Amino acid sequence: MKEHLIGSDEWEEFDATQELRPVLLGLGNFDIFHTEFDGKPFEGLTVRLFNPQTRLWTIYWADSNAVKLDGGKVGSFEGDEGEFFGREVVAGKDVIVKFHWDMRDPNAPIYSRAFSADAGRTWEWNWYSNFSRR
């Protein structure tokens, strides 16, 4: 979605590549995301860490615009679907962020993201990544 938390329904579509690598003996992984926005290179980094005691994953993000790790989103998988939650300030508003991973089709997983500015009563779904293997 081009603009967040204003009731927009205008979407932008683009191609990107993402390279994933497991680390820490399988207790984590990271990926590098590459694309262009308005003709300018953009790169993102995701770090995912699994805590075997709590059985929770924490997902961290950094990109070439902000150049810092975010506070992380925490959650878990139930079967082939996972939900992860955290907080951010978006468009000047304190929001709950929800990540959803749908891996029911291992050859075409889907990642989506939503924001809630009203303590989880409503959600604005504003990002979808439809993955495919090269």
Side-chain angles (χ1 to χ4, degrees), residues 87-120:
R87 297 195 81 87
E88 290 182 16
V89 175
V90 177
K93 298 176 183 174
D94 182 32
V95 300
I96 300 171
V97 181
K98 178 184 347 186
F99 292 171
H100 182 82
W101 274 98
D102 180 341
M103 304 196 22
R104 291 175 289 176
D105 180 348
N107 294 313
I110 300 168
Y111 160 79
S112 53
R113 179 188 70 192
F115 296 152
S116 176
D118 59 9

Side-chain angles (χ1 to χ4, degrees), residues 24-125:
L24 305 175
L25 303 174
L27 295 175
N29 60 61
F30 73 91
D31 66 52
I32 307 290
F33 173 90
H34 302 275
T35 195
E36 286 189 2
F37 291 125
D38 299 321
K40 296 178 185 169
F42 178 87
E43 190 171 81
L45 166 72
T46 310
V47 177
R48 299 174 193 88
L49 302 173
F50 180 69
N51 181 325
Q53 283 77 38
T54 63
R55 313 261 330 134
L56 296 173
W57 286 90
T58 304
I59 303 173
Y60 301 94
W61 169 260
D63 62 51
S64 54
N65 290 338
V67 194
K68 65 176 187 157
L69 284 175
D70 69 9
K73 313 301 178 279
V74 178
S76 63
F77 282 87
E78 187 171 320
D80 292 330
E81 294 188 75
E83 290 202 329
F84 307 84
F85 296 89
R87 297 195 81 87
E88 290 182 16
V89 175
V90 177
K93 298 176 183 174
D94 182 32
V95 300
I96 300 171
V97 181
K98 178 184 347 186
F99 292 171
H100 182 82
W101 274 98
D102 180 341
M103 304 196 22
R104 291 175 289 176
D105 180 348
N107 294 313
I110 300 168
Y111 160 79
S112 53
R113 179 188 70 192
F115 296 152
S116 176
D118 59 9
R121 287 186 293 282
T122 62
W123 294 94
E124 174 194 83
W125 290 97

